[in-house]
Amino acid sequence: MNILVINSGSSSIKYQLLDMDRERVLVTGLVERIGEVHGGLTNRTNPGTKNERLIQRSPTIPDHNSGMRLVIEQLIHGQDGPVVGDISEIHAVAHRIVHGGESFRQPVLVTEKVIEAITANVVLAPLHNSANLEGIRVAMELFPDVEQVAVFDTVFHQTIPPYAFLYALPYELYEKDRIRRYGFHGTSNKFVAGECARILDKPVQECNLITLHLGNGCSVTAVKNGCSVDTSLGITPLEGPVMGTRCGDVDPALHAILHRNRGMDIEAIDTMLNRESGLKGVCGLNDMRDIHAARQKGDEMAQLAFDMFVYRIKKYIGMYFAVLGRVDAVIFTAGIGENDSEVRESVLSGLQGLGITLDKVANDRCPDAWMRINAPESRVEVLVIRTNEELEIGRQAVEVLSQELVRESPFWAATLQSGMVS
Ligand code: ADP
């Protein structure tokens, strides 16, 4: 089964065509700068194999519809021959949706009702959900005969109990406006939790984990018996550790102080906290690689930003140890988590009291799909696992489609049960 995974942003569309029978990436690509004079298309066929082909172009891409048409053109009439002979060889389209609110506890087939519910959640994530909806609309128009599946970043965290997801605000704000912690990076968390269970050779339902998703956006999640029980990102992806340009945790009275003392309005404050804060706010740099380069030259502000980044993550590890009681593994993932041995070493230093001891030599290696970096005497395993959100979205889409087949056709139910189709 070939599934086209779409991650539609406000000015970009990331895509992957996956052969889900072999869990192989056929094509991966990015349409970017939609709406600008010079757009961008990067399309990689057979990535990571000796047959890899890269195409890069800068056409004007006025809107998402033309962007998606460009994607289809690459798949069917690519310069190096078609990836699929016909659009009918794309069996389903799976969409990454950032905010499912409380409406979705699992991935679903897209219907008019589902679109309505995603639209209702636009207030919670205006930029993200509007762009995701645009992706759905365009895909429905261009693939009219193909099932569309919506996979939500928030779903994995729907197991968090009320005492952990509620903010201590007047309760009616939750009842009327659904103001609460939702959490994000759920697809990544589900993927790495599954991989971790496989590595530990344990059912995921028996795994207690602390996941450190450290990329541009950062989050820490406590996973108990395979389910999320707390996470650092909140009603929006702003709360928690220090991030590239986002502030993470601050005293909420900050808004009033900035307004009163500096006359800043709410839009200006929001922009500052999301785009001009975090590592960038402290030292002017938001990419961890640049921060290391600056630290090496003796830049004290870069060092301070690094120290703040590490310290905040360490605090979350301590909190989630207390939440979980027993921890089987700490997992590092995403851009910084997977690649930055110095961040990993600094985050874990001094945690022997919690049963965590790092193997520094192992930590300095570069992971393939995963690697173990704890010393043999460490009570807690420490794993670096490369996340793969697209594959997880593909897997969840296959699950939704199989359930749908079972619901619609007893014949399929019997066939699936007999194991004749995987
Ligand atoms: P996103 O949250 O946008 O998905 P990623 O998970 O791709 O982000 O992470 C991007 C960040 O990862 C970059 O901003 C950079 O700070 C960091 N990063 C990527 N590669 C490395 C590396 N080799 N060493 C240190 N940091 C890295």
Side-chain angles (χ1 to χ4, degrees):
M1 177 187 277
N2 295 331
I3 295 195
L4 180 60
V5 175
I6 299 289
N7 182 354
S8 174
S10 53
S11 65
S12 70
I13 304 171
K14 285 187 198 147
Y15 59 94
Q16 278 198 3
L17 183 65
L18 300 173
D19 168 357
M20 288 308 297
D21 298 328
R22 293 175 194 79
E23 293 204 335
R24 206 162 63 85
V25 183
L26 302 175
V27 178
T28 178
L30 170 68
V31 171
E32 59 189 330
R33 299 191 299 278
I34 295 173
E36 292 181 29
V37 179
H38 298 291
L41 169 74
T42 308
N43 185 86
R44 229 176 266 276
T45 308
N46 298 313
T49 71
K50 62 181 187 332
N51 297 324
E52 177 169 317
R53 290 280 180 277
L54 171 68
I55 292 170
Q56 282 180 307
R57 287 167 42 199
S58 309
T60 304
I61 309 164
D63 51 29
H64 282 69
N65 191 302
S66 6
M68 193 73 96
R69 281 181 197 277
L70 214 54
V71 174
I72 297 174
E73 199 181 298
Q74 290 307 313
L75 302 179
I76 297 176
H77 309 292
Q79 278 174 12
D80 301 300
V83 180
V84 291
D86 187 79
I87 205 163
S88 65
E89 288 176 37
I90 296 169
H91 303 111
V93 182
H95 298 268
R96 176 194 182 211
I97 310 294
V98 168
H99 216 311
E102 287 191 326
S103 325
F104 299 100
R105 294 187 154 260
Q106 55 195 37
V108 288
L109 273 188
V110 175
T111 61
E112 278 309 317
K113 272 202 156 146
V114 166
I115 292 178
E116 267 173 39
I118 298 173
T119 310
N121 287 324
V122 164
V123 285
L124 295 172
L127 295 180
H128 287 108
N129 269 30
S130 310
N132 300 157
L133 276 167
E134 186 61 17
I136 291 183
R137 279 192 210 101
V138 170
M140 286 175 87
E141 189 187 325
L142 300 179
F143 298 89
D145 302 322
V146 162
E147 296 285 18
Q148 316 273 330
V149 182
V151 178
F152 301 89
D153 253 18
T154 42
V155 156
F156 185 68
H157 301 299
Q158 281 293 300
T159 44
I160 297 178
Y163 58 78
F165 75 59
L166 280 170
Y167 294 116
L169 298 168
Y171 192 70
E172 62 149 5
L173 285 177
Y174 169 60
E175 288 180 307
K176 295 206 178 120
D177 298 340
R178 297 286 141 204
I179 289 179
R180 52 160 284 183
R181 173 182 311 287
Y182 288 97
F184 301 86
H185 296 149
T187 313
S188 170
N189 266 284
K190 183 154 198 299
F191 179 81
V192 295
E195 288 300 293
C196 178
R198 196 178 51 74
I199 295 161
L200 301 183
D201 198 19
K202 259 176 138 174
V204 72
Q205 297 81 353
E206 290 174 18
C207 290
N208 282 10
L209 312 167
I210 296 177
T211 309
L212 311 177
H213 179 113
L214 310 178
N216 277 317
C218 298
S219 66
V220 185
T221 297
V223 175
K224 188 167 195 167
N225 300 325
C227 297
S228 173
V229 291
D230 205 350
T231 193
S232 59
L233 292 172
I235 186 167
T236 76
L238 189 57
E239 206 179 336
V242 175
M243 306 181 217
T245 63
R246 293 177 238 163
C247 59
D249 296 332
V250 290
D251 183 332
L254 178 70
H255 289 71
I257 291 176
L258 290 173
H259 175 66
R260 288 192 205 114
N261 295 358
R262 288 201 165 209
M264 289 173 78
D265 67 17
I266 216 66
E267 289 307 322
I269 296 172
D270 200 45
T271 303
M272 188 191 80
L273 299 183
N274 276 286
R275 297 178 195 272
E276 292 149 22
S277 298
L279 296 169
K280 185 179 173 196
V282 178
C283 72
L285 303 166
N286 62 286
D287 190 304
M288 195 51 87
R289 289 163 289 196
D290 298 335
I291 289 180
H292 288 313
R295 286 169 64 222
Q296 271 159 19
K297 288 187 197 142
D299 184 329
E300 287 178 11
M301 294 314 284
Q303 183 61 45
L304 178 62
F306 177 84
D307 291 343
M308 289 168 69
F309 183 83
V310 164
Y311 176 72
R312 191 82 66 82
I313 296 167
K314 219 186 258 263
K315 274 211 304 196
Y316 269 94
I317 294 177
M319 283 200 294
Y320 288 166
F321 248 89
V323 165
L324 292 171
R326 187 203 86 228
V327 176
D328 298 304
V330 172
I331 302 170
F332 284 89
T333 193
I336 298 172
E338 292 165 19
N339 297 301
D340 197 322
S341 57
E342 203 172 342
V343 164
R344 293 195 299 258
E345 183 175 340
S346 305
V347 162
L348 298 179
S349 79
L351 298 189
Q352 288 84 351
L354 296 177
I356 300 177
T357 313
L358 184 70
D359 176 338
K360 290 188 183 175
V361 176
N363 183 45
D364 282 338
R365 292 191 321 243
C366 183
D368 292 325
W370 66 277
M371 66 179 186
R372 181 179 269 113
I373 59 170
N374 55 283
E377 69 271 23
S378 184
R379 285 201 307 277
V380 176
E381 304 253 7
V382 186
L383 302 171
V384 179
I385 302 178
R386 288 201 185 276
T387 194
N388 192 337
E389 289 171 281
E390 289 78 12
L391 179 56
E392 181 58 39
I393 291 172
R395 284 178 182 168
Q396 292 190 28
V398 168
E399 215 174 298
V400 170
L401 293 165
S402 316
Q403 284 162 4
E404 196 58 21
L405 277 177
V406 170
R407 209 171 54 78
E408 283 187 352
S409 158
F411 164 75
W412 274 100
T415 315
L416 281 167
Q417 254 170 19
S418 71
M420 284 165 64
V421 184
S422 61

